[in-house]
Amino acid sequence: MQQVLTRDFLRNADCKTAFGTIEESLLLTPEQRLASLECALARRPDNSPVWIFGYGSLMWNPVFESEEVRPATLQGWHRAFCLRLTAGRGTQLQPGRMLALQEGGQTTGLAFRLPEDKLREELELLWKREMLTGCYLPTWCELTLENGQVVTALAFVMDPQHPLFEQDTNHQVIAPLIACASGPLGSNAQYLFALDNELKNHGMQDERIGELVNTVREWLQQNATGSRGESASA
């Protein structure tokens, strides 16, 4: 049965089992997650409102509470499926690829302004979701909202030194991985298609995502046709 990611699920989740089997050496302890959050808060540039940059599933299922949501652009980073996915929507035996931010280019997404009086509570929930293995580097950056306003935001960018980092993001390499992988939170392909739909819903364009969607759909169709052909000739 597919598990839906909700506030209650995250609050109650046992990180060792709720998302699938995660190699223990990669899993952050609650104390390590808290230390990571404390470190990020210590680097908070100023006392302006804290915004979170959502560029993947945070766009359609943020889970945390926010007081304002605005389309935004992040300069200097682009979306890339460069994170080997062994839990959630993949497994160690059938790994997929998860989204992260890599240096270069720009990314359009959604900016969420967190309530200051609940800041710690919402960030702890976010850290439990995003920092299971510490694969991201929580980075303070400047976001440009659609009206031109510049705000201070946290973005989760890929740590290129992390064991789950994958350098090769060629679509012909990652499309079969995304097409085949699934886990307790659903399939890897569902994630990609949901991202594509969300971008379209907001009138945002990401050519890399659009091309990858087409490649994954082609791969799924070809393999479905091949399976039918094998059945018919058996």
Side-chain angles (χ1 to χ4, degrees), residues 52-214:
I52 302 296
F53 183 57
Y55 58 89
S57 61
L58 291 182
M59 293 179 68
W60 68 85
N61 184 26
V63 175
F64 55 76
E65 293 183 13
S66 60
E67 294 185 324
E68 187 177 1
V69 184
R70 303 279 292 278
T73 301
L74 174 63
Q75 296 290 344
W77 301 88
H78 67 274
R79 289 183 182 86
F81 279 87
C82 59
L83 172 59
R84 187 163 75 255
L85 184 62
T86 59
R89 295 178 182 271
T91 64
Q92 292 184 22
L93 292 177
Q94 187 91 67
R97 286 292 185 92
M98 185 43 64
L99 193 63
L101 291 175
Q102 280 190 285
E103 286 193 77
Q106 68 175 31
T107 305
T108 53
L110 295 180
F112 299 85
R113 180 167 60 84
L114 298 187
E116 189 66 34
D117 60 341
K118 295 182 179 179
L119 182 61
R120 186 59 177 259
E121 176 186 352
E122 300 308 318
L123 286 178
E124 285 181 1
L125 200 65
L126 180 61
W127 248 250
K128 191 172 183 180
R129 172 179 176 162
E130 300 295 332
M131 296 294 287
L132 281 176
T133 65
C135 56
Y136 295 116
L137 298 173
T139 303
W140 292 98
C141 55
E142 290 188 344
L143 281 186
T144 304
L145 305 184
E146 59 180 346
N147 63 356
Q149 179 186 357
V150 177
V151 299
T152 301
L154 269 172
F156 289 87
V157 307
M158 187 69 214
D159 178 1
Q161 304 303 316
H162 195 275
L164 294 177
F165 172 66
E166 295 284 358
Q167 180 70 43
D168 191 350
T169 57
N170 181 286
H171 289 180
Q172 299 303 321
V173 170
I174 67 175
L177 301 176
I178 292 174
C180 293
S182 63
L185 298 182
S187 76
N188 205 174
Q190 285 173 338
Y191 176 97
L192 172 64
F193 299 154
L195 171 62
D196 186 50
N197 287 334
E198 189 69 12
L199 291 173
K200 289 175 179 175
N201 288 342
H202 290 283
M204 299 175 181
Q205 287 190 332
D206 189 317
E207 291 183 2
R208 292 184 184 90
I209 298 301
E211 291 169 0
L212 181 56
V213 165
N214 291 337

Side-chain angles (χ1 to χ4, degrees), residues 20-79:
T21 304
I22 300 176
E23 187 178 329
E24 193 142 353
S25 64
L26 297 177
L27 192 66
L28 295 191
T29 65
E31 293 76 21
Q32 287 172 321
R33 281 203 314 274
L34 181 60
S36 169
L37 173 55
E38 295 285 4
C39 183
L41 287 174
R43 296 197 311 271
R44 185 176 178 181
D46 51 45
N47 292 321
S48 64
V50 172
W51 296 72
I52 302 296
F53 183 57
Y55 58 89
S57 61
L58 291 182
M59 293 179 68
W60 68 85
N61 184 26
V63 175
F64 55 76
E65 293 183 13
S66 60
E67 294 185 324
E68 187 177 1
V69 184
R70 303 279 292 278
T73 301
L74 174 63
Q75 296 290 344
W77 301 88
H78 67 274
R79 289 183 182 86

